[in-house]
């Protein structure tokens, strides 16, 4: 009864290709935005912000980025950790070399630099396809981590090899640095998330998105109908790396404040983002968010239950976490290879028709 | 024979659109196409026939630029073709359907046919990121053209269906739609009626004839059903083991002894 | 100058040995990929799990001890016995075969027609799962593996080379043993694959699942066999590496080293895995030797070290660009 389309006819093509064709969906979306911008900052406390919300938002950006490359364009990449590192180190160097530069601009610039690096590492994708490419992107992952460790210029010759973010503010509120508040960080990141999600939606609904999907589905046929494979793949790498670079920049400067490249951006992170988009749903904007939410929330919940409630030792919880995540990946791929987003889509389909079966 | 003429049923056949001169194509030791020359004239329906393995699909792949012949020249609209990539050749106005359907299984019918408009859509990435404004306008304009193709092929009901879920006959129709959406100067059809029953073949024949009639599109098609070939084509090229063994009107080819021996066979009844 | 050459040669020979170890891991991949088209990311974790199980059985550990203790509040650790090496090995092999059967039944069977990338990601999930189970069963501390294999410098070679060159090469006995075992395994596998009927069935399945089914080959049986053999190879690899540096998590990172080996050698070739392994092994060590040497430093103004982290990948990457199927892999012909 709620989810009706009867009588809701679209009179223009513009209406037909809206993001939220159903009124209920659209108002729901506005409501979520309102709560996110107005409600949450009032209710937020430090724990929830740092353990859940802020990482969720940052990983959503990374998932959007990887989904564009892997989900929409079909180029599997295991180098996401390395690219996040590029974003982080670019941010560090920009922050320390240009102390007056606005933090938002720095974040965006870091994304742009990462996009450039992404294009370079994307060049092999012309000769190497599918799963061989995934392995080749590991070269990017390992090389980049080694690079940032090896050349001291990247961490300004500090003895510890760590980089830490100096304090920066916008509109009088501190965003980075030890005294920044959770609310300020949250709003800053939220603005970026909404903006980038909007960009991702626009790119994937139009000609560029279709060319990505064409390359993913049948690259030879795509080329024969006029899609330039080089340009299309490199565009995907560039856009994807931009997003991932921004995520890395935020991860370092706003969330953690200080990182050491080996542990913060190692291959485990590359897998983490990949899991997010698999579980969430390849080729789906919504899926990127769901996957990120899932993989950020679940360890927190598990820890709370196992260590907090059951009193089990921390390392045992850690092992169980591995078992559960690994098991979930396999389960998702068996039951619904298109991820939670697909389950959601199917549920909505059924809701539209309820109480009728079809 | 470069002047145009009018066929008995009122269509105008013009000058040469495509000319293949002495094409030879080898794969390692195997010669797929041996020194073949033929042409296709504007507005006509040119059939390419021959037994399996004769090299017909390879010939289409050469026209598309996917295979590069070791010998020979290709002239398109009076210009010799320089070494080019397939996507550049597509931009010149050559569109194609494939023997084993090459639709984009992850997309809906509408999106698949919209990909056919790829070369005609020009807005750059920055505008696309913003969407509102020129990018959206261009999308709607091209959507109108695609909707006309959808109407023409009578596939309105399945526009939003993912093509992977469609039955074979409809998939072939969607693939035709994708090729048509490009408004090509030359349309290549690789066995468009393979695996169809009589009704579906009639529908497809009607569509092909309509395309040629209404839009004047030049069509080259590979086809095994001789009834279809004789009925709808203006001229026929016959290939066998990579060589050309016949070239002319359907009647001429039907009575050509070499063609009968190699392919058509004799009526034993 | 001649010294440098000697040191370089020693590095090269050690690299060769390491390369053989890489090949050992790569072999398991090739088998599974050849017969089921799946790239089994979990191969390295299988090596870890195999080694952990072996040690656990040998030392008489109680499986899942930490979990049992947490749930029931008990404090168990060992059964109190230790088992002889041979028996432990046999039991461990049994466990790996059981594992192969379970994987086929609960994972592979359900993923038969999916994209290779989905299968790959499923094996990543499997790897995480196995790692967790391995930790839960046997605990995550480093374990020493003692099967009585000879370790330490090979004195014969040391004294021979000292007599010849004035410098004794350090070649470890363990590496020599591993090399011999690897070669034996390769020969056995190649013979098996070429000449036995199961081997033939394997190759049929690798080529085309549907066609193999249509001539009556049981896909499921073949997969259990293949995963069983790969499990066995993983166990051997785990034992070799584990004897060398202890059984610990980093063992599973061998997977990551095997990947460039496969890229070089081709994913479907057994000899390719061997040769690829050797090229990578030698290449890594020699490259590292050269770019960290003072000679290089004088010439270029800087030295690099720890390049082993990424050299193998770069080498494989460059290689792949020019020859996407690797040295011996099946040529990828694209048709439209």
């Amino acid at each position: 009864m709620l989810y009706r389309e009867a009588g809701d006819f679209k009179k223009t093509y513009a209406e037909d290709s809206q993001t939220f064709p159903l009124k209920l969906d659209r108002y729901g979306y506005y409501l979520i935005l309102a709560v996110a911008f107005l409600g949450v900052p009032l209710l937020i406390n430090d724990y929830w912000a740092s353990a859940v919300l802020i990482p969720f938002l940052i990983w959503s950006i990374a998932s959007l980025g990887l989904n564009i490359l892997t989900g929409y364009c079909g180029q599997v990449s295991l180098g996401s950790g390395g690219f996040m590192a590029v974003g982080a180190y670019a941010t560090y160097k920009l922050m320390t070399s240009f102390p007056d530069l606005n933090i938002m601009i720095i974040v965006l610039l870091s994304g742009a630099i990462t996009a450039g690096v992404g294009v370079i590492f994307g060049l092999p994708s012309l000769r190497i396809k599918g799963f061989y490419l995934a392995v080749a992107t590991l070269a990017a992952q390992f090389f980049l981590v080694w690079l940032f460790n090896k050349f001291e210029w990247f961490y300004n010759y500090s003895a510890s090899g760590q980089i830490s973010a100096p304090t920066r503010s916008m509109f009088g509120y501190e965003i980075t640095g030890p005294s920044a508040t959770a609310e300020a960080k949250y709003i800053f990141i939220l603005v970026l998330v909404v903006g980038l999600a909007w960009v991702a939606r626009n790119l994937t609904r139009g000609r560029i998105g279709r060319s990505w999907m064409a390359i993913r589905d049948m690259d030879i046929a795509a080329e024969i109908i006029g899609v330039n494979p080089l340009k299309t793949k490199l565009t995907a790498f560039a856009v994807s790396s931009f997003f991932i670079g921004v995520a890395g920049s935020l991860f370092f400067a706003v969330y953690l404040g200080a990182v050491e490249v080996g542990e913060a951006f190692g291959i485990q992170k590359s897998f983490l983002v990949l899991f997010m988009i698999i579980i969430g749903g390849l080729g789906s904007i919504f899926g990127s968010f769901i996957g990120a939410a899932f993989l950020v929330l679940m360890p927190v919940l598990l820890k709370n239950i196992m260590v907090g409630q059951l009193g089990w030792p921390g390392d045992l919880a850690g092992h169980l976490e591995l078992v559960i995540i690994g098991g979930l990946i396999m389960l998702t791929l068996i039951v619904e290879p298109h991820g939670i987003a697909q389950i959601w889509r199917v549920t909505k389909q059924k809701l539209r028709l309820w109480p009728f079966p079809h | 024979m470069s002047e145009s003429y009018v066929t008995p049923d009122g269509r105008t056949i013009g000058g040469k659109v495509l000319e293949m001169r002495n094409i030879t194509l080898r794969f390692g030791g195997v010669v797929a196409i041996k020194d073949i020359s033929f042409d296709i004239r504007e507005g006509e329906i040119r059939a390419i026939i021959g037994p399996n393995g004769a090299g017909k699909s390879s010939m289409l792949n050469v026209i598309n630029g996917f295979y590069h012949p070791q010998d020979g020249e290709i002239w398109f609209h009076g210009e010799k073709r320089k070494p080019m990539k397939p996507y550049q050749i597509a931009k010149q106005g050559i569109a194609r359907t494939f023997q084993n359907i090459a639709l984009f299984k992850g997309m809906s019918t509408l999106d698949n046919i919209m990909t056919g408009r790829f070369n005609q859509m020009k807005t750059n990435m920055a505008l696309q990121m913003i969407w509102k404004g020129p990018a959206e306008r261009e999308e709607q304009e091209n959507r109108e053209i695609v909707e006309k193709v959808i109407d023409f092929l009578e596939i309105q009901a399945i526009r939003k269906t993912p093509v992977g879920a469609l039955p074979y006959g409809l998939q072939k129709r969607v693939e035709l739609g994708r090729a048509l959406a490009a408004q090509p100067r030359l349309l290549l059809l690789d066995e468009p009626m393979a695996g169809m029953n009589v009704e579906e073949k009639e529908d497809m024949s009607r569509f092909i004839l309509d395309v040629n009639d209404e839009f004047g599109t030049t069509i080259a098609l590979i086809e095994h059903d001789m009834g279809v070939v004789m009925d709808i084509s203006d001229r026929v090229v016959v290939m066998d083991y990579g060589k050309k063994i016949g070239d002319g009107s359907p009647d001429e080819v039907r009575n050509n002894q070499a063609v009968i021996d190699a392919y058509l066979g004799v009526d034993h009844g | 100058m001649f010294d440098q050459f000697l040191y370089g040669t020693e590095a090269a020979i050690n690299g060769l040995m390491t390369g053989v170890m890489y090949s050992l891991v790569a072999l398991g991949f090739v088998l599974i990929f050849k017969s089921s088209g799946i790239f089994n990311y979990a191969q390295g974790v299988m090596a870890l799990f195999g080694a952990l199980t072996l040690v656990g059985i040998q030392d008489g550990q109680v499986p899942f001890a930490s979990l049992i203790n947490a749930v029931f509040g008990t404090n168990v650790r060992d059964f109190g016995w230790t088992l002889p090496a041979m028996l432990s090995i046999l039991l461990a092999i049994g466990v790996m075969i059981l594992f192969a059967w379970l994987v086929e039944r609960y994972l592979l069977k359900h993923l038969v027609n999916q994209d290779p990338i989905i299968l790959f990601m499923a094996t990543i999930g499997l790897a995480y799962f196995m790692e967790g189970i391995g930790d839960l069963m046997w605990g995550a501390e480093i374990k020493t593996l003692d099967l009585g294999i000879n370790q330490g410098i090979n004195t014969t070679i040391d004294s021979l080379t000292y007599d010849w060159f004035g410098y004794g090469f350090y070649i470890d006995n363990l590496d020599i043993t591993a090399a011999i075992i690897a070669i034996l395994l390769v020969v056995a596998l190649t013979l098996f694959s070429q000449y036995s009927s199961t081997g033939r069935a394997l190759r049929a399945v690798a080529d085309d699942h549907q066609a193999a089914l249509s001539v009556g080959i049981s896909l499921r049986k073949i997969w259990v066999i293949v995963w069983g053999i790969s499990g066995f190879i993983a166990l051997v690899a785990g034992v070799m590496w584990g004897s060398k540096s202890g059984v610990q998590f980093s063992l599973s990172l061998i997977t990551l080293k095997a990947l460039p080996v496969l890229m070089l050698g081709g994913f479907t070739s057994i000899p390719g895995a061997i040769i690829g392994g050797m090229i990578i092994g030698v290449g890594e060590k020699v490259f590292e030797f050269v770019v960290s040497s003072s000679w290089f430093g004088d010439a270029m103004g800087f030295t690099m070290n720890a390049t082993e982290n990424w050299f193998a990948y770069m080498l494989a990457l460059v290689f792949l660009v020019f020859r996407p199927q690797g040295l011996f892999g099946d040529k990828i012909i694209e048709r439209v």
Side-chain angles (χ1 to χ4, degrees):
Chain A
M1 295 310 162
L2 307 161
Y3 226 32
R4 271 301 162 259
E5 280 170 276
D8 185 11
F9 296 114
K10 307 286 183 283
K11 293 188 224 66
T12 66
Y13 294 135
E15 279 178 23
D16 190 43
S17 61
Q18 279 172 5
T19 305
F20 296 108
L22 296 176
K23 272 223 183 69
L24 191 65
D25 279 340
R26 216 177 314 142
Y27 292 150
Y29 174 64
Y30 292 146
L31 186 63
I32 293 181
L33 277 184
V35 168
F37 273 101
L38 303 171
V40 173
L42 301 174
L43 306 168
I44 199 175
N45 71 33
D46 248 343
Y47 174 69
W48 275 98
S50 28
V52 178
L53 273 177
I54 290 183
F56 158 64
L57 289 174
I58 296 181
W59 287 112
S60 299
I61 299 181
S63 298
L64 277 173
L66 189 61
N67 220 337
I68 286 178
L69 183 60
T70 301
Y72 284 95
C73 194
Q75 311 297 307
V76 181
S77 162
L78 291 174
S80 312
F83 290 128
M84 282 177 79
V86 175
Y89 278 83
T91 300
Y92 178 67
K93 294 302 287 183
L94 284 171
M95 282 173 108
T96 52
S97 313
F98 303 106
D100 292 323
L101 197 50
N102 183 298
I103 179 71
M104 180 64 90
I105 300 197
I106 290 185
V107 170
L108 293 174
L109 269 180
S110 309
I113 294 175
T114 316
V117 173
V119 166
I120 297 177
F121 279 102
L123 286 170
S125 70
L126 296 146
R127 289 279 296 182
I128 314 175
K129 295 198 184 168
F131 152 81
Y132 290 75
L133 181 65
V135 176
T137 54
L138 280 179
Q141 169 69 44
F142 290 123
F143 178 75
L144 287 168
V145 169
W146 173 85
L147 188 72
F148 291 126
N149 240 321
K150 168 79 193 154
F151 288 102
E152 297 150 329
W153 177 78
F154 285 114
Y155 42 91
N156 286 348
Y157 304 97
S158 106
S160 66
Q162 248 199 7
I163 52 171
S164 17
T167 306
R168 290 282 179 276
S169 358
M170 242 179 111
F171 306 128
Y173 293 98
E174 281 175 16
I175 312 276
T176 64
S179 48
T181 59
E183 291 91 335
K185 295 186 184 190
Y186 166 77
I187 294 283
F188 182 76
I189 300 181
L190 185 63
V191 166
L192 271 171
V193 168
V194 172
L196 287 174
W198 180 68
V199 166
R201 166 67 186 150
N202 289 340
L203 283 178
T204 54
R205 72 171 13 175
R207 166 178 147 264
I208 290 187
R210 279 192 296 268
S211 65
W212 287 337
M213 292 194 272
I215 292 282
R216 173 194 69 193
D217 289 338
M218 271 245 167
D219 55 346
I220 298 182
E223 190 173 1
I224 291 184
I225 66 171
V227 175
N228 178 340
L230 175 58
K231 208 165 108 175
T232 307
K233 287 182 189 176
L234 290 183
T235 312
F237 270 99
V239 173
S240 163
S241 305
F242 180 85
F243 276 61
I244 296 182
V246 166
S249 160
L250 292 171
F251 191 70
F252 154 63
V254 181
Y255 177 49
L256 288 179
V259 294
E260 190 274 313
V261 71
E263 46 171 279
F265 298 118
I267 191 168
Q268 310 291 11
K269 294 296 195 300
S270 302
F271 281 132
L272 186 63
V273 189
L274 188 63
F275 290 159
M276 285 177 186
I277 63 175
I278 299 175
I279 292 188
L282 288 166
S284 156
I285 306 263
F286 178 65
S288 313
F289 283 100
I290 286 283
F294 196 80
L295 281 167
V296 165
L297 259 181
M298 214 201 25
V300 173
L301 276 175
L302 282 179
K303 266 225 172 72
N304 273 327
I305 296 178
M306 289 195 286
V307 182
Q309 309 240 309
L310 294 174
W312 289 359
D315 55 345
L316 180 61
H319 300 155
L320 269 171
E321 205 181 295
L322 284 174
V323 172
I324 294 181
I325 294 195
L328 270 171
I329 303 269
M330 296 193 279
L331 197 63
T332 309
L333 288 172
I334 294 176
V335 166
E336 182 47 85
H338 295 284
I340 299 183
Q342 180 69 358
I343 300 180
W344 179 250
R345 232 174 272 143
V346 167
T347 312
K348 284 210 302 190
Q349 268 304 94
K350 295 214 166 25
L351 271 181
R352 273 160 147 135
L353 299 165
W354 185 80
F356 304 107
H358 59 86
Chain B
M1 240 226 311
S2 309
E3 338 81 39
S4 36
Y5 64 96
V6 181
T7 63
D9 54 350
R11 291 172 300 129
T12 312
I13 309 282
K16 293 189 206 165
V17 165
L18 181 75
E19 209 183 328
M20 314 288 278
R21 294 189 191 167
N22 305 104
I23 302 287
T24 299
L25 178 69
R26 275 186 287 267
F27 295 111
V30 178
V31 185
I33 299 178
K34 273 186 213 103
D35 194 27
I36 294 194
S37 305
F38 69 95
D39 59 53
I40 304 180
R41 312 189 66 191
E42 181 153 16
E44 76 173 342
I45 298 182
R46 189 83 144 111
I48 304 177
I49 68 176
N52 279 323
K56 311 187 292 292
S57 284
S58 303
M59 182 61 84
L60 285 194
N61 284 339
V62 168
I63 300 178
N64 274 136
F66 183 57
Y67 291 156
H68 298 281
Q70 280 76 14
D71 246 326
E73 294 170 356
I74 302 175
W75 289 69
F76 187 60
H77 276 285
E79 265 181 46
K80 180 165 154 191
R81 180 189 284 176
K82 300 186 282 274
M84 273 196 277
K85 301 232 135 166
Y87 68 88
Q88 291 162 314
I89 292 173
K91 281 199 195 340
Q92 289 189 326
I94 302 185
R96 172 155 176 198
T97 67
F98 299 84
Q99 196 173 3
N100 304 311
I101 303 180
L103 285 175
F104 304 122
K105 294 265 159 61
M107 295 196 250
S108 65
T109 302
L110 179 61
D111 280 333
N112 263 278
I113 304 184
M114 284 290 280
T115 63
R117 296 297 302 162
F118 185 78
N119 286 319
Q120 277 75 7
M121 293 177 74
K122 301 276 185 244
T123 45
N124 65 35
M125 194 162 89
L127 290 171
Q128 296 225 350
M129 284 203 244
I130 306 176
W131 188 250
K132 294 287 169 210
E136 188 173 22
R137 259 199 309 273
E138 190 185 59
E139 180 90 2
Q140 312 308 348
E141 280 163 13
N142 282 283
R143 168 95 187 250
E144 270 197 62
I145 299 177
V146 165
E147 288 288 343
K148 291 207 180 75
V149 171
I150 291 180
D151 279 344
F152 174 75
L153 291 171
E154 295 162 17
I155 46 178
Q156 298 91 330
I158 53 167
R159 357 172 138 70
K160 296 283 173 82
T161 322
V163 294
L166 294 173
Y168 181 82
L170 280 178
Q171 284 189 7
K172 272 213 158 320
R173 223 190 281 183
V174 173
E175 211 191 18
L176 179 60
R178 182 180 68 183
L180 288 179
Q183 292 169 324
R185 290 148 114 187
L186 174 60
L187 179 61
L188 306 172
L189 304 174
D190 196 341
E191 297 197 34
M193 307 196 208
M196 289 189 175
N197 62 31
V198 174
E199 267 180 47
E200 289 169 327
K201 282 194 191 185
E202 282 177 5
D203 282 341
M204 190 55 97
S205 305
R206 181 167 44 91
F207 286 133
I208 296 177
L209 285 171
D210 282 347
V211 166
N212 179 254
D213 206 15
E214 281 179 42
F215 309 125
T217 311
T218 312
I219 298 178
L221 83 142
I222 297 178
E223 188 43 59
H224 277 296
D225 185 327
M226 292 317 301
V228 166
V229 169
M230 296 303 160
D231 272 343
I232 72 175
S233 47
D234 295 306
R235 285 194 299 153
V236 182
V237 174
V238 191
M239 286 174 64
D240 185 28
Y241 283 115
K243 294 211 271 270
K244 184 170 87 165
I245 60 174
D247 186 351
S249 77
D251 279 326
E252 287 166 13
V253 156
R254 189 191 348 231
N255 295 319
N256 179 325
Q257 191 57 40
V259 174
I260 293 177
D261 288 342
Y263 185 50
L264 289 176
V266 191
D267 190 9
H268 287 281
Chain C
M1 192 51 213
F2 185 60
D3 298 345
Q4 291 290 330
F5 178 70
L6 276 180
Y7 301 148
T9 314
E10 184 190 21
I13 297 184
N14 273 315
L16 209 61
M17 299 282 146
T18 317
V20 167
M21 301 276 258
Y22 290 156
S23 308
L24 207 49
V25 184
L27 266 182
F29 283 107
V30 168
L31 259 189
I32 293 188
F33 192 78
K34 244 170 116 79
S35 69
S36 54
I38 301 178
F39 183 82
N40 176 23
Y41 184 80
Q43 190 74 14
V45 178
M46 275 160 65
L48 172 62
F49 183 74
L52 273 177
T53 307
L54 180 53
V55 173
I57 293 177
Q58 205 183 12
D59 290 349
Q61 274 186 287
V62 176
F64 294 110
S66 48
L67 187 61
I68 296 177
N69 290 341
V71 172
F72 297 110
T74 49
N75 203 353
V76 295
R77 274 227 62 218
D78 309 88
F79 285 120
W81 64 56
T82 58
L83 293 176
M86 251 355 266
L87 182 58
S88 310
I89 293 180
L90 284 175
L91 284 174
I93 294 181
V95 169
M96 296 308 280
I97 295 185
L98 172 65
F99 160 75
W101 183 81
L102 285 171
V103 165
E104 192 284 322
R105 187 158 199 285
Y106 289 107
L107 182 63
L108 295 183
K109 190 172 68 156
H110 303 280
L111 287 174
V112 168
N113 265 324
Q114 298 283 9
D115 256 348
I117 211 68
I118 302 262
L119 291 166
F120 173 60
M121 301 205 267
T123 59
I124 302 183
L126 180 64
Y128 272 63
F129 185 79
M130 291 292 309
E131 197 190 313
I133 295 266
D135 287 338
L136 277 179
M137 270 179 98
W138 308 110
E141 332 81 53
I142 305 182
K143 316 228 184 324
T144 38
L145 178 58
D146 182 15
L147 285 178
I149 305 178
N150 241 334
Q151 289 202 45
I153 180 173
N154 182 302
T155 43
T156 327
I157 296 187
D158 186 29
S159 43
L160 269 180
T161 48
Y162 186 72
D163 292 336
W164 291 344
F165 303 120
Y167 169 72
F169 281 7
Y170 184 111
I171 314 276
D172 198 309
N173 273 321
L174 180 65
D175 291 337
I176 299 180
T177 315
I180 297 178
I181 293 187
I183 296 177
L184 285 175
L185 263 179
V186 168
V187 170
L189 275 175
T190 316
L191 287 176
F192 171 71
S193 143
Q194 288 293 121
Y195 295 112
S196 78
S197 68
T198 318
R200 204 167 353 156
L202 228 91
R203 283 183 284 135
V205 169
D207 234 10
D208 188 332
H209 290 180
Q210 301 263 37
L213 275 173
S214 74
V215 296
I217 298 179
S218 164
L219 231 51
R220 303 189 53 191
K221 202 174 88 166
I222 294 287
W223 282 347
V224 174
I225 293 179
V226 167
W227 279 72
I229 297 181
S230 293
F232 172 71
I233 296 180
L235 180 60
V236 173
V239 163
M240 289 296 146
W241 285 90
S243 298
K244 199 167 177 181
S245 28
V247 179
Q248 51 174 315
F249 166 70
S250 58
L251 208 56
S252 59
L253 296 175
I254 302 177
T255 305
L256 297 174
K257 266 299 160 59
L259 291 176
V261 170
L262 291 165
M263 282 155 73
L264 257 188
F267 281 84
T268 50
S269 157
I270 293 179
I274 303 298
I275 299 190
M278 297 203 283
I279 296 180
I280 296 271
V282 172
E284 263 185 353
K285 287 276 186 327
V286 170
F287 184 75
E288 171 83 17
F289 175 75
V290 168
V291 302
S292 60
S293 70
S294 46
W295 169 86
F296 184 80
D298 293 336
M300 301 288 287
F302 66 90
T303 58
M304 302 201 270
N305 54 10
T307 58
E308 280 178 35
N309 284 345
W310 54 265
F311 176 76
Y313 289 94
M314 281 302 181
L315 183 63
L317 181 61
V318 168
F319 211 82
L320 265 190
V321 170
F322 293 104
R323 210 182 146 88
Q325 71 272 27
L327 277 171
F328 296 96
D330 302 324
K331 194 150 201 273
I332 310 162
I333 302 186
E334 309 204 270
R335 309 210 90 226
V336 170

